[in-house]
């Protein structure tokens, strides 16, 4: 039987499908932080919904001081923490964050029916002393990965070094902090920004929504 969630419950579960999230940042204006429509919960309802999900074993919440938390009072304190994701600016301590448990992930999947084969994970770094950046893209569907590579080069205005392209297969693949897939293809390559030569003025970045849709194409 498909699980039943309120809109607020589903929003809170989906918000941490890819990464944990700081509870203190949940009541920020969606225009400030979220690239999607907000949860629509009042401050009181937000605390009650988080506690309900926590008590049901669908999410966990923890911080560096207390470890895992489990009470409504601790949730309330977490909501009062500095409203930023990552490390708090004043006490230098990691804020209380929440994430999906194994059961929470399973129930979210039963409701959302995501296409994990199309899920794309990417990232880059800049090797010291190199004029090329190194990009890494991982996807269980090799064709989808190739399409992403071509669109990446086109829309980012970058030139990939064909000699540097490396394909391999990862098995198993830890797609997110809670979801493991049987395996996935990985493509790594060096690239150089073509705008350095062709256009001294950088193009304005695309809307955040574009990146959001790319990263969540598997929904």
């Amino acid at each position: 039987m498909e699980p039943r969630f309120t809109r607020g419950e589903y929003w809170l579960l989906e918000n941490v499908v890819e990464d944990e999230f700081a509870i203190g940042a949940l009541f920020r204006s969606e225009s400030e932080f979220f690239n999607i429509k907000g949860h629509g919960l009042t401050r009181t309802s937000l605390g009650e919904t988080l506690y309900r999900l926590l008590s049901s074993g669908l999410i966990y919440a923890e911080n560096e001081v207390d470890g895992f938390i489990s009470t409504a009072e601790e949730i309330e304190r977490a909501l009062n923490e500095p409203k930023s994701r990552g490390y708090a600016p004043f006490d230098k301590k990691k804020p209380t964050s929440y994430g999906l448990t194994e059961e929470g992930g399973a129930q979210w999947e039963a409701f959302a029916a995501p296409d994990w084969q199309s899920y794309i994970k990417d990232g880059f770094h800049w090797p010291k002393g190199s004029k090329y950046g190194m990009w890494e893209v991982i996807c269980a569907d090799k064709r989808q990965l190739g399409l992403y590579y071509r669109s990446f080069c086109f829309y980012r205005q970058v030139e990939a070094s064909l000699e540097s392209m490396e394909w391999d297969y990862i098995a198993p693949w830890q797609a997110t902090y809670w979801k493991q897939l049987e395996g996935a293809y990985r493509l790594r390559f060096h690239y150089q920004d073509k705008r350095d030569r062709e256009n001294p003025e950088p193009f304005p970045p695309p809307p955040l929504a574009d990146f959001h849709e790319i990263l969540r194409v598997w929904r």
Side-chain angles (χ1 to χ4, degrees), residues 69-85:
I69 65 173
S70 60
T71 68
E73 290 74 19
E74 289 171 318
I75 288 291
E76 185 65 25
R77 286 198 296 270
L79 285 169
N80 291 327
E81 289 177 353
K83 295 175 176 57
S84 62
R85 191 176 185 181

Side-chain angles (χ1 to χ4, degrees), residues 148-163:
Y148 183 84
Y149 162 75
R150 289 193 287 276
S151 64
F152 168 85
C153 292
F154 179 79
Y155 287 107
R156 295 287 186 96
Q157 291 291 293
V158 299
E159 180 179 44
S161 168
L162 298 180
E163 296 81 7

